[in-house]
Amino acid sequence: MSSAAPSVADPYRAHNVTVAPHGSLRTLALGALGIVYGDIGTSPLYALKECVHGPHGVAPTPANIMALMSLMFWSVTLVVVGKYLTFIMRADNHGEGGILALLALLPEGKPKSPGRIGLFAGCILFGAALLYGDGVITPAMSVLSAVEGLEVATNAFDHATVPITVAILLALFWGQKGGTDRIGRVFGPIMLVWFGTLAVLGTLAIMRYPEVLGALSPSHALRFLFADPKHAFVVLGSVVLCITGGEALYADMGHFGRKPIQLAWYVAVFPALVLNYLGQGALLLSAQSADARTAIAENPFYSLVPNGPLIYPLVVLSTAATVIASQALISGAYSLTRQAVQLGLLPRVTVKHTSSAAEGQIYIPEVNWALAVGCIALVLAFGESSRLAAAYGIAVTGTMAITSVAFYQVARVRWHWPVYLLGPLVLSFLLVDLAFFGSNALKFFDGGFVPIVIAIFLFMVMRIWKRGRALLALHFAKAARPLDGFLEALHSQFYTDVDGSQFQILRVPGVAVFLTGNRGGTPPLLLHHLRHVKALHQTVVLVTVATEHVPRIQGERIDCEALSDGFMRLIIRVGFMESPDVPRALTEAIARFDLPFTIDEVTYFLGRETLLATSQGEMGETEETLFAFLTRNSQNATRYFGIPPERVVEIGMQVDL
């Protein structure tokens, strides 16, 4: 055993190296098609439709159609290519991306009081909360828009769209507990067929009206923006639908790597999206009359296929693509939740691993059914995709703007980019992000309030939980006794407690494990136990699970330090995307450090705090009541740390924060 436990203050040690995703570039790129690009890949189902037919759209005149084609092309190019693929994806935390990875990259400041969240950290947490709103809206919006294709083929399904959508969503969420390992193998090929179909349908329409290619010039978009700024600003709230899912490029970077994601985009996704949008525009432009354009505008995507038998397989393929897009958002919500739990931002939840081969394949029942209830409620409340689209853009654009701000801070503080170069770059990002966000803010009362309400609620949960845990840790730190002094007191014939009382301590056979977050003091739980039982096991292991600001720990993750009087300290390092397993780590330590006991001899001592929630505490009665509610309903430490319940002794303690 080592003579001293090394510090874990610096999370960027040499052994924490980035592990590249396994597989060839081609295989990873195919997988990225199914997971990364599901959301943005299904945008053609509804993006142009909302621009020319939705409540915030413009009339489908030839000039407007050319302007919309130009706006959509340059939006995708500037945001996805210019912002995310070129710059944002450079900000990786040991290969992992996503908005919480940006939070982990920011240096920790010294808060004025325990648990307080700084400005930048608060912005990032609110962006993460907005992603949950996106996770609720995307499955409802995508599946509903796909099923609406049946209404184009026949009137027989006019009143069946909502029930069919609800049934598909129920099946989707019910199937989550089985994991996505099996169906994930066919995600990529299905999406490859989907993007191929988008490209073919778009190309056929462009061939009938090739003049639409002139929309690739930004002049049409600029002319539209300056000629009628009011209507242009409003319609941006619908144009933004063509870039939904852009944040997924960054969030899923750790699963596939930067190069496979870029390859999939430039080879398949970008060409297919551009061709299909231009094809929809060409179809509208080729209409012989204004009435014909209006009829096509009701659903330009499905109008690419003439009425007949072909519409039904397209609906099936579209539904499959939207289910895959929904799966990506649902899986992302699982990963985001686990990261937040590990970073101390959310209460513990039930994390079930659904694959023995893929560590990232997890299922969280609490998140799954909360999303299911939210999705189905939205479908029943809004009834059609055009109405639901109003709720869609705010979550996406809000997160995009926050990502730009966080990227500025990371590039300035960690990479030391000069402000005269970084400032104009990020300002250009924010100019686009805030224009889209401002346009979507106009739809607040039409449904845009939904993701904002979800985000505010989750942000408050994160803030209260983080502050409550920090105050609880401070309370126990104050109650703790320096470990050196405690071990020295054990040598005396009579042990002197902190209150001055003295008693003899009986040492009994066995091994006691106490989990503690304070590596410098004696766990208050141990002192509480000793005060009432007047006995200690012959071997006492103080275990600390240290969550570091890296996704996964590579190399050595366990340190063991021998103390005196049968005491030893065990530090288990985990990344913020890993689930801690204390018995497995203890078994590894027994073998590696030749510890003088077996895993079957161990008894785990855990504390269960009862929060009094009075007005006397620092936290305040209202906040502490909410924190107590979250604590009671969080997953217990036994299950979270993988501890066998039959080997656990729980000790109750009353605390007022």
Side-chain angles (χ1 to χ4, degrees):
M1 293 180 287
S2 58
S3 59
S7 170
V8 295
D10 181 12
Y12 300 101
R13 284 179 295 275
H15 66 265
N16 289 326
V17 296
T18 300
V19 177
H22 297 289
S24 66
L25 183 61
R26 184 184 304 175
T27 302
L28 291 171
L30 182 62
L33 283 180
I35 301 299
V36 177
Y37 293 112
D39 191 2
I40 197 171
T42 52
S43 296
L45 284 165
Y46 46 77
L48 184 58
K49 171 186 173 182
E50 297 307 315
C51 291
V52 295
H53 183 68
H56 301 275
V58 295
T61 64
N64 285 345
I65 293 168
M66 290 294 286
L68 289 171
M69 291 294 98
S70 185
L71 276 172
M72 296 174 84
F73 171 76
W74 286 103
S75 295
V76 172
T77 301
L78 292 175
V79 173
V80 179
V81 177
K83 177 181 174 180
Y84 281 97
L85 290 178
T86 305
F87 289 101
I88 298 296
M89 291 181 70
R90 295 172 180 267
D92 70 289
N93 183 12
H94 294 260
E96 294 289 343
I99 197 162
L100 286 183
L102 281 174
L103 177 61
L105 286 172
L106 290 174
E108 294 187 24
K110 295 183 178 179
K112 296 180 180 179
S113 61
R116 293 294 183 186
I117 299 174
L119 176 62
F120 281 104
C123 287
I124 292 175
L125 292 186
F126 192 76
L130 280 172
L131 287 178
Y132 283 100
D134 193 17
V136 173
I137 296 172
T138 294
M141 175 75 178
S142 300
V143 176
L144 185 57
S145 62
V147 177
E148 284 174 347
L150 293 173
E151 298 177 3
V152 178
T154 175
N155 295 330
F157 290 96
D158 286 355
H159 300 291
T161 301
V162 169
I164 292 174
T165 301
V166 170
I168 292 173
L169 289 173
L170 278 174
L172 173 64
F173 285 103
W174 182 263
Q176 293 299 312
K177 59 183 178 181
T180 59
D181 191 32
R182 294 180 180 177
I183 58 176
R185 299 172 188 172
V186 298
F187 278 5
I190 289 177
M191 292 305 293
L192 186 60
V193 173
W194 169 251
F195 285 116
T197 302
L198 292 183
V200 170
L201 292 176
T203 301
L204 293 175
I206 293 171
M207 291 172 62
R208 292 196 296 268
Y209 199 91
E211 291 85 348
V212 74
L213 294 174
L216 297 179
S217 169
S219 60
H220 294 279
L222 294 173
R223 191 180 303 117
F224 178 69
L225 292 172
F226 288 110
D228 193 352
K230 180 180 178 181
H231 283 89
F233 183 70
V234 172
V235 82
L236 283 179
S238 299
V239 172
V240 75
L241 296 174
C242 72
I243 56 173
T244 57
E247 192 75 21
L249 305 177
Y250 181 44
D252 290 320
M253 182 168 58
H255 295 288
F256 301 99
R258 185 180 178 187
K259 289 185 177 179
I261 290 176
Q262 290 176 325
L263 177 64
W265 171 260
Y266 289 115
V267 172
V269 182
F270 192 34
L273 292 178
V274 171
L275 288 171
N276 195 265
Y277 284 129
L278 291 175
Q280 293 183 43
L283 185 66
L284 286 165
L285 290 169
S286 64
Q288 299 300 315
S289 64
D291 290 340
R293 283 196 297 272
T294 302
I296 294 172
E298 292 182 5
N299 207 318
F301 175 78
Y302 283 110
S303 297
L304 290 171
V305 178
N307 287 340
L310 288 178
I311 194 75
Y312 295 103
L314 183 59
V315 170
V316 172
L317 180 60
S318 301
T319 304
T322 56
V323 167
I324 291 172
S326 303
Q327 179 63 59
L329 266 295
I330 294 168
S331 299
Y334 297 158
S335 297
L336 186 66
T337 301
R338 183 167 68 167
Q339 292 179 44
V341 170
Q342 290 293 73
L343 291 173
L345 301 171
L346 285 177
R348 294 187 295 263
V349 293
T350 305
V351 178
K352 297 183 178 180
H353 293 266
T354 59
S355 172
S356 58
E359 196 271 341
Q361 295 277 351
I362 59 174
Y363 168 64
I364 301 178
E366 298 93 330
V367 175
N368 183 69
W369 293 113
L371 290 177
V373 170
C375 287
I376 293 173
L378 287 179
V379 171
L380 295 176
F382 287 87
E384 58 184 58
S385 61
S386 292
R387 295 180 61 197
L388 190 54
Y392 204 4
I394 289 185
V396 176
T397 54
T399 304
M400 286 167 48
I402 291 171
T403 297
S404 297
V405 174
F407 174 79
Y408 172 85
Q409 186 72 351
V410 169
R412 186 179 66 85
V413 175
R414 290 193 63 86
W415 303 340
H416 306 294
W417 285 16
V419 175
Y420 68 86
L421 292 178
L422 181 61
L425 176 67
V426 175
L427 282 176
S428 66
F429 293 164
L430 286 173
L431 180 65
V432 176
D433 296 339
L434 294 178
F436 281 131
F437 181 79
S439 178
N440 278 278
L442 299 175
K443 302 184 290 185
F444 182 83
F445 293 105
D446 295 328
F449 63 88
V450 172
I452 299 297
V453 170
I454 294 173
I456 290 174
F457 170 75
L458 287 171
F459 178 78
M460 293 303 297
V461 169
M462 290 181 184
R463 191 189 70 82
I464 290 173
W465 182 258
K466 183 174 177 63
R467 178 162 166 74
R469 295 302 298 178
L471 288 173
L472 192 62
L474 181 63
H475 170 83
F476 285 137
K478 291 178 179 178
R481 181 173 182 174
L483 187 58
D484 291 342
F486 172 77
L487 293 176
E488 184 177 343
L490 290 180
H491 291 293
S492 303
Q493 182 179 1
F494 291 93
Y495 170 77
T496 303
D497 203 356
V498 290
D499 60 0
S501 61
Q502 292 185 331
F503 50 84
Q504 279 189 311
I505 297 176
L506 177 66
R507 302 301 292 264
V508 298
V511 181
V513 170
F514 289 87
L515 270 68
T516 175
N518 183 2
R519 284 165 282 173
T522 309
L525 182 65
L526 189 153
L527 297 176
H528 190 71
H529 166 72
L530 184 61
R531 190 173 301 124
H532 289 84
V533 180
K534 309 294 192 297
L536 275 179
H537 289 72
Q538 289 178 342
T539 302
V540 178
V541 184
L542 308 180
V543 174
T544 298
V545 178
T547 301
E548 301 187 7
H549 283 200
V550 292
R552 296 177 179 85
I553 301 297
Q554 306 298 329
E556 296 181 4
R557 61 171 64 233
I558 301 174
D559 288 302
C560 190
E561 177 186 3
L563 305 172
S564 61
D565 291 285
F567 276 70
M568 61 185 66
R569 183 190 305 283
L570 194 69
I571 297 177
I572 305 168
R573 299 185 179 91
V574 297
F576 62 79
M577 293 191 72
E578 297 178 300
S579 299
D581 190 326
V582 171
R584 183 168 61 184
L586 191 56
T587 301
E588 182 181 337
I590 291 171
R592 179 180 167 193
F593 298 105
D594 195 23
L595 302 183
F597 57 87
T598 66
I599 194 67
D600 294 331
E601 299 178 67
V602 172
T603 300
Y604 301 88
F605 287 82
L606 303 178
R608 181 175 290 274
E609 302 87 14
T610 299
L611 300 170
L612 300 179
T614 70
S615 58
Q616 304 300 316
E618 182 180 345
M619 193 172 189
E621 187 174 355
T622 302
E623 282 197 354
E624 189 173 351
T625 299
L626 293 173
F627 178 63
F629 174 80
L630 294 173
T631 301
R632 288 194 303 270
N633 289 277
S634 66
Q635 186 191 40
N636 62 58
T638 302
R639 294 183 63 185
Y640 182 74
F641 291 108
I643 299 172
E646 67 274 8
R647 305 198 68 84
V648 171
V649 174
E650 287 193 344
I651 301 175
M653 303 175 69
Q654 289 189 334
V655 179
D656 186 8
L657 300 180

